[in-house]
Amino acid sequence: MESRRSNVCGETACRFSTSSSDAKERAASMRKLCFVAVLCCLFMSIEVIGGIKANSLAILTDAAHLLTDVAAFAISMLSLWASSWEANSRQSYGFFRIEILGAFLSIQLIWLFTGILVYEAITRLIQETNDHVDGFFMVLVATFGLVVNIIIIVVLGHDHGHGHDHGHDHGHCHGDNAEHLLEKSKERNINVQGAYLHVLGDLIQSIGVIIGGGMIWYNPKWKVIDLICTLVFSVIVLGTTTKMLRSILEVLMESTPREIDARKLEKGLMEIEEVVAVHELHIWAITVGKALFSCHVKIKPDADDGLVLDKVIDYIWREYRISHVTIQIER
């Protein structure tokens, strides 16, 4: 005997779409991200102009790193915007995966830009054709960048503990509503968190440019430091984007999210008294930070399927915060 149950919220079937109550919070986050993105674009333009004027590849590489921050902000705003779109019969999960496609495109552009700078740096090192590098101008631009990064960190840091969960789905809309709202207030947009970490890295990179520029300013013959900084910063940029690319590929391959131990989850379900066996267990993500779960649960002949269903859903939400759950009860 098999039993399939679908939890509902009031009289409306649960869907991936967001509720109207999230609109105000989403708009506030959009404004904050837009302000920071504009600030990043402004400084990135200054770095590009300053890097060309100072003949410094290190500053241009720092601009490439800043491009990763701009991409992260843009992707986050795109995902916030897309999360407001209602799911339909063709896109039953909504449009959250637009975020993944946007992230993949931005990584390709960043790699292209970084690759050009690395090629130029290696060419200058081999051919020893590095012209005069203006150390003073490097320090000036990097110092301005340091101030901008501090401002961005302050703005994002305010959101660090009070961010919102954009597009938080109500797959089963189960449990106490107050607890759900409290949990939402503690969650934070995954892209904003990534951008926050990127800006911290860019802050360190700006300090590196200041130190390198200061050394070249002190002794212009040490201009090779600029090329060395370029190669080091390029590794940092590629390292940052490689982690993002890994997350993208895991979503596209529908891998189990790294933060979830499938074996431990299955073992926890088996510890429920009425459960006899668990099979057809699948855990995947529609986008980074938004996991989905489905499985078949075989229960004892005399067990109440509704009670077991509630226990399974409660366990998955309590231990793993997965809200979009599909359970098939079997006897």
Side-chain angles (χ1 to χ4, degrees):
M1 175 181 177
E2 297 183 357
S3 173
R4 299 185 182 182
R5 287 186 50 182
S6 174
N7 285 26
V8 296
C9 307
E11 298 179 356
T12 304
C14 300
R15 294 184 296 175
F16 244 124
S17 56
T18 58
S19 64
S20 58
S21 61
D22 292 331
K24 185 175 181 180
E25 189 176 10
R26 185 168 56 243
S29 296
M30 284 284 284
R31 286 193 296 270
K32 180 176 292 187
L33 285 170
C34 186
F35 168 76
V36 176
V38 169
L39 196 61
C40 280
C41 287
L42 177 63
F43 175 56
M44 185 173 66
S45 301
I46 293 175
E47 277 200 319
V48 171
I49 296 173
I52 294 174
K53 184 175 178 59
N55 194 34
S56 171
L57 289 178
I59 292 180
L60 292 175
T61 308
D62 191 32
H65 193 193
L66 195 60
L67 181 61
T68 66
D69 304 334
V70 175
F73 290 129
I75 293 166
S76 185
M77 287 188 290
L78 179 62
S79 63
L80 282 169
W81 180 44
S83 68
S84 65
W85 300 352
E86 292 292 339
N88 55 48
S89 58
R90 288 186 60 83
Q91 284 78 33
S92 58
Y93 282 126
F95 296 85
F96 294 103
R97 198 154 282 187
I98 289 178
E99 173 184 22
I100 297 299
L101 299 178
F104 186 74
L105 176 61
S106 67
I107 287 176
Q108 305 311 305
L109 295 175
I110 292 166
W111 282 12
L112 175 63
F113 187 31
T114 304
I116 293 172
L117 293 174
V118 169
Y119 174 79
E120 179 66 21
I122 294 176
T123 300
R124 290 188 181 187
L125 283 173
I126 294 176
Q127 299 180 359
E128 298 183 356
T129 58
N130 193 27
D131 299 326
H132 172 72
V133 177
D134 192 335
F136 171 76
F137 208 75
M138 285 181 64
V139 173
L140 185 65
V141 173
T143 301
F144 179 71
L146 187 66
V147 174
V148 172
N149 285 323
I150 292 175
I151 294 174
I152 294 175
I153 287 174
V154 170
V155 173
L156 291 180
H158 177 70
D159 185 57
H160 189 71
H162 305 283
H164 76 292
D165 174 21
H166 70 283
H168 186 81
D169 63 82
H170 302 272
H172 60 76
C173 305
H174 186 84
D176 184 74
N177 187 53
E179 179 185 353
H180 170 69
L181 292 176
L182 178 62
E183 186 63 31
K184 278 186 64 179
S185 68
K186 295 178 180 178
E187 293 183 356
R188 189 163 179 264
N189 182 282
I190 188 70
N191 292 300
V192 176
Q193 185 176 13
Y196 182 88
L197 295 176
H198 288 175
V199 175
L200 285 178
D202 199 64
L203 177 69
I204 297 173
Q205 193 164 307
S206 294
I207 295 175
V209 174
I210 292 174
I211 294 174
M215 296 175 68
I216 296 174
W217 185 14
Y218 174 75
N219 188 348
K221 293 182 180 180
W222 292 350
K223 57 187 177 182
V224 70
I225 293 176
D226 178 68
L227 303 180
I228 294 174
C229 287
T230 300
L231 296 177
V232 172
F233 295 161
S234 296
V235 172
I236 295 174
V237 172
L238 294 177
T240 302
T241 54
T242 298
K243 184 177 180 181
M244 187 187 300
L245 181 62
R246 184 186 67 184
S247 298
I248 291 172
L249 294 178
E250 287 177 350
V251 170
L252 295 178
M253 292 298 295
E254 297 189 344
S255 304
T256 299
R258 289 178 176 267
E259 65 272 15
I260 299 175
D261 188 333
R263 293 182 179 179
K264 185 178 179 181
L265 190 155
E266 182 178 1
K267 183 179 179 181
L269 292 177
M270 289 297 299
E271 291 175 353
I272 297 176
E273 183 180 355
E274 297 86 351
V275 175
V276 176
V278 176
H279 60 101
E280 296 295 332
L281 189 152
H282 302 284
I283 310 170
W284 71 105
I286 192 65
T287 186
V288 177
K290 185 173 286 296
L292 298 87
F293 175 89
S294 70
C295 76
H296 292 201
V297 178
K298 188 174 182 179
I299 63 175
K300 296 178 180 178
D302 58 341
D304 181 86
D305 59 340
L307 178 62
V308 176
L309 180 63
D310 289 340
K311 286 185 177 181
V312 170
I313 291 176
D314 285 341
Y315 168 76
I316 295 172
W317 170 250
R318 183 177 66 253
E319 297 296 328
Y320 299 95
R321 287 300 185 263
I322 303 176
S323 62
H324 197 92
V325 178
T326 303
I327 308 295
Q328 179 169 309
I329 303 295
E330 302 175 353
R331 295 185 186 278

